[in-house]
Amino acid sequence: MKNQRTKKKFHLRIPSQTEYLEIIREFVSRVARKVGFQEDDASKIELAVDEACTNVIEHAYGGDDRKMIDIAIQVDYPGQKMSIIITDQGRGFDPSKLRAPDMKKYLQEMRVGGLGVYLMQSLMDEINFEVKPGPKNQVKLVKYLMNNQKPR
């Protein structure tokens, strides 16, 4: 029997500037749709990656637009999952200190921002952080394809 395991890889390296978030979103959503995600899930992936890259621009690099962001996508068949790995060389953070937000309090205080990681966790099936400030920080976002979705 022939081994039908397949991997497809895509890569984007882009300057750390908010004006390029549109390119990142387009890249991620086009790959998601191409490999079989329905519009709803492709939009969730797009939003989660946008949040992760915004965090890199604002927090890891502190607005230094000379730095680069690497976005690697790997699609695994027949496991049918899409993994997006976002890598930077900026300041890291301790993911163990993250707490679920108190949404009632958050809304009462009419806060803005601070929900990026919570949002990513809500939109994706898996999220993992590997933090080594300076050399390499990575966030890995994973979304599984449903059985009724086929690659185009």
Side-chain angles (χ1 to χ4, degrees), residues 12-26:
L12 177 67
R13 183 173 169 83
I14 197 160
S16 174
Q17 298 173 21
T18 54
E19 68 189 69
Y20 295 121
L21 287 171
E22 181 180 351
I23 295 170
I24 294 168
R25 289 191 301 268
E26 181 71 18

Side-chain angles (χ1 to χ4, degrees), residues 10 14 27 32 43 49 63 76 79 120 123:
F10 306 86
I14 197 160
F27 167 67
S43 295
V49 171
D76 294 289
M120 288 185 274
L123 297 170

Side-chain angles (χ1 to χ4, degrees), residues 50-67:
D50 183 277
E51 286 295 328
C53 291
T54 299
N55 284 345
V56 170
I57 293 167
E58 293 180 358
H59 303 294
Y61 289 146
D64 185 347
D65 60 8
R66 296 169 297 168
K67 305 288 186 171

